[in-house]
Amino acid sequence: MWGRLVLLGLGAFVVFKLSLILYRRRKFPEPHEDWSTVDLEDLDFPTSFRWGTATAAHQVEGHLVNNWTVHEAANGLEQSGAACDHWNRWREDFQLLSDLGLNSYRFSIEWSRLEPSEGVWDDEPLERYSNMVDDLVARGIRPVVTLHHFSHPAWWEEKGGFAKQENIRAFVAYCERVFEALSDRVDTWVTINEPTVFSIMGYALGMFPPGKRSPRSTLRVMRHLLSAHGHVYAALKKKQPEAQIGMAKNVTLFDPKNRWSPIDWPLARLLERLWNGAWRSGIQHGRMFFTDIPEAKGSLDFVGLNYYTHVLTGLSLPALRNMRFPKRRHEVFTEFGYPMYAEGLRRAIEFLAPLNVPIEITENGVADANDALRGEHLKRHIWVLSRALADGYDVRSYHHWSLLDNFEWAEGYSMRFGLHHVDFETQQRTLRQSGDLYRNIVQKR
Ligand code: IFM
């Protein structure tokens, strides 16, 4: 009698425990750390690892006329205007890089400055970019040059931009011109920044230029971006085979809000495929959405990873149009409205590893005007990175987004990503506490 009761009790306990485990996994299917138990100071990086920050021309330079300024004016968005006036203050800004002790800097070239009208080239801006490169090299800072970071000339947009395959020729010609001017000193090139973000924001959600909402055009632009990258890769490698040419891929992870939901789980898989998988298989197999893009196959010497967050998928997804994202109970929201999920950096690295090329973290950061979260954000992501290196992943650099508060596209100046606060009235730059923390992390290594 007692024996049976004990057995029954044990059985009930096991069933209870199993249900609890299943219930918890239902809630938190993706890996996450208990951060209170993690020693964030426990970091190990090889001395060859590069530390940097990143910016993009339209977000910092100021006084541009391009597809974005047209879009800003047409849609009543905040105007980029003078931005950080970096076009005039670049020397002072490069001093900030030196003060942080960095040895890598990613920035982009503004095509609309170089070719303000079709076929009309202005050499003066290219000379200034060349001076910038000289200055970086003299400071012992590796220049990483991005050729397309969301902005291009308005005349090219009018011709259909990346929506038309025949326009790619003009893009390749611009890239070749920049390469000819700078490749004697620049060896690391990013052809296109965040192709998926560019396509989806511009052609599906209508929040970026050209403000379209067409699923067909979105897929077409995704294919053309990959094709454009492939053509630029071939053209530049022909000029200089040892140049290191890559793309910066925003790897956003998609996790089902509820693991067992018949809606959330397949939706996560579908979005994951659309956002990440299609791009990776385009590079691996030269094929995307049932179309051959042979020029894309194997066209990477390294892959740039821009990592920010994961998206929990489910019926609440339509709220994403207003940048309202769901989060887990244990996560905190960033000011952009998505959660901080540092564990995802490891998963993003794992996702890119099958490409079998070195990984450079070309962006990672957080919108945080009061600098309340950036310190913790930095520490967690750098810790995750250190663990990935220890486990053998070939990651070569980390570039924090961003050096300065700057123009955050459709969000205007409201989102502040800078290690330096920028007073946009006076253009004064002030190092934030988190900037000092980053400097310390870098200096120790
Ligand atoms: O500011 C952007 C950048 O231009 C591209 N990657 C994401 C950043 C923050 O949203």
Side-chain angles (χ1 to χ4, degrees):
M1 155 84 174
W2 283 113
R4 268 203 205 148
L5 269 180
V6 169
L7 269 180
L8 213 67
L10 267 177
F13 179 73
V14 169
V15 169
F16 172 72
K17 267 288 193 202
L18 275 175
S19 326
L20 205 65
I21 289 169
L22 278 178
Y23 178 76
R24 284 200 182 128
R25 285 186 70 79
R26 180 187 78 92
K27 284 282 175 202
F28 311 124
E30 68 279 353
H32 74 99
E33 294 289 339
D34 175 358
W35 290 104
S36 63
T37 64
V38 172
D39 176 7
L40 293 170
E41 307 280 311
D42 181 17
L43 302 177
D44 193 12
F45 286 90
T47 49
S48 58
F49 192 84
R50 291 182 194 263
W51 298 94
T53 62
T55 61
H58 186 74
Q59 296 180 268
V60 296
E61 285 184 1
H63 304 301
L64 291 166
V65 181
N66 58 23
N67 60 328
W68 259 95
T69 52
V70 172
H71 180 77
E72 289 153 30
N75 293 283
L77 298 178
E78 192 168 3
Q79 311 272 301
S80 46
C84 306
D85 193 30
H86 175 75
W87 192 240
N88 298 309
R89 295 168 194 260
W90 60 271
R91 274 185 208 280
E92 171 194 325
D93 290 339
F94 288 0
Q95 183 57 43
L96 301 179
L97 297 171
S98 297
D99 294 346
L100 287 172
L102 304 177
N103 61 4
S104 191
Y105 175 57
R106 175 178 172 233
F107 66 103
S108 77
I109 306 286
E110 180 60 34
W111 179 7
S112 65
R113 282 194 193 279
L114 272 49
E115 195 181 3
S117 330
E118 187 171 7
V120 178
W121 294 90
D122 184 355
D123 285 338
E124 196 277 330
L126 199 48
E127 253 176 65
R128 194 169 309 190
Y129 284 123
S130 180
N131 293 339
M132 289 184 188
V133 167
D134 279 341
D135 194 70
L136 289 170
V137 173
R139 290 172 185 278
I141 298 172
R142 171 187 69 158
V144 177
V145 172
T146 303
L147 291 160
H148 188 276
H149 193 123
F150 296 164
S151 59
H152 49 241
W155 60 261
W156 196 67
E157 183 75 71
E158 274 162 33
K159 293 178 73 164
F162 283 112
K164 297 224 172 101
Q165 179 81 32
E166 61 266 32
N167 289 346
I168 290 176
R169 219 173 310 122
F171 176 63
V172 177
Y174 145 74
C175 294
E176 285 183 302
R177 208 175 173 101
V178 177
F179 192 80
E180 273 156 23
L182 307 182
S183 61
D184 54 337
R185 289 150 293 151
V186 175
D187 57 19
T188 311
W189 298 82
V190 173
T191 57
I192 294 173
N193 179 69
E194 299 186 348
T196 322
V197 174
F198 178 87
S199 325
I200 292 193
M201 296 295 279
Y203 291 84
L205 300 179
M207 293 165 79
F208 280 17
K212 298 234 154 72
R213 287 195 193 135
S214 151
R216 272 185 69 183
S217 305
T218 307
L219 298 189
R220 188 179 326 123
V221 169
M222 280 183 176
R223 288 195 299 263
H224 290 172
L225 285 166
L226 203 58
S227 168
H229 160 79
H231 284 298
V232 173
Y233 181 85
L236 305 190
K237 288 299 265 192
K238 202 164 146 201
K239 288 183 189 296
Q240 203 182 101
E242 56 295 354
Q244 295 300 296
I245 299 167
M247 229 177 173
K249 172 74 184 107
N250 175 308
V251 178
T252 294
L253 304 164
F254 294 88
D255 291 314
K257 189 152 185 259
N258 179 340
R259 186 180 215 185
W260 307 115
S261 155
I263 293 168
D264 302 6
W265 178 80
L267 192 60
R269 293 293 293 268
L270 180 75
L271 291 174
E272 171 75 21
R273 174 82 202 149
L274 184 70
W275 191 279
N276 301 319
W279 175 85
R280 187 179 67 181
S281 94
I283 297 283
Q284 286 175 314
H285 311 297
R287 200 171 158 74
M288 190 188 231
F289 304 127
F290 311 107
T291 305
D292 286 330
I293 311 173
E295 59 277 18
K297 189 170 176 181
S299 58
L300 287 180
D301 300 315
F302 71 90
V303 58
L305 167 57
N306 294 2
Y307 175 72
Y308 287 89
T309 193
H310 69 156
V311 173
L312 302 179
T313 64
L315 287 175
S316 55
L317 263 194
L320 292 196
R321 291 234 30 236
N322 309 322
M323 290 293 164
R324 279 195 292 114
F325 293 76
K327 71 165 190 68
R328 301 285 184 214
R329 233 179 315 143
H330 57 267
E331 293 175 342
V332 291
F333 274 127
T334 68
E335 272 166 27
F336 219 120
Y338 49 70
M340 169 162 80
Y341 177 56
E343 299 88 329
L345 177 58
R346 168 60 175 259
R347 292 169 59 200
I349 291 169
E350 286 169 5
F351 169 78
L352 294 177
L355 290 170
N356 288 322
V357 288
I359 298 172
E360 307 249 3
I361 309 294
T362 35
E363 280 182 35
N364 171 243
V366 62
D368 180 24
N370 296 327
D371 210 31
L373 194 58
R374 190 173 293 101
E376 186 68 10
H377 187 279
L378 262 167
K379 287 199 267 182
R380 287 189 190 180
H381 285 82
I382 289 174
W383 181 81
V384 169
L385 190 52
S386 168
R387 293 293 292 259
L389 261 79
D391 291 342
Y393 288 97
D394 185 6
V395 187
R396 306 269 174 99
S397 67
Y398 174 85
H399 297 82
H400 190 78
W401 185 271
S402 180
L403 175 66
L404 307 166
D405 288 341
N406 58 45
F407 180 74
E408 180 56 29
W409 310 111
E411 266 64 38
Y413 289 101
S414 62
M415 295 295 150
R416 290 179 174 265
F417 277 88
L419 292 171
H420 293 86
H421 171 272
V422 176
D423 178 332
F424 290 104
E425 295 291 315
T426 62
Q427 290 295 349
Q428 193 181 338
R429 282 82 160 126
T430 310
L431 185 66
R432 292 197 161 101
Q433 224 175 9
S434 57
D436 195 46
L437 182 137
Y438 186 47
R439 187 180 60 81
N440 270 314
I441 292 176
V442 173
Q443 250 175 18
K444 280 194 193 143
R445 326 211 125 75

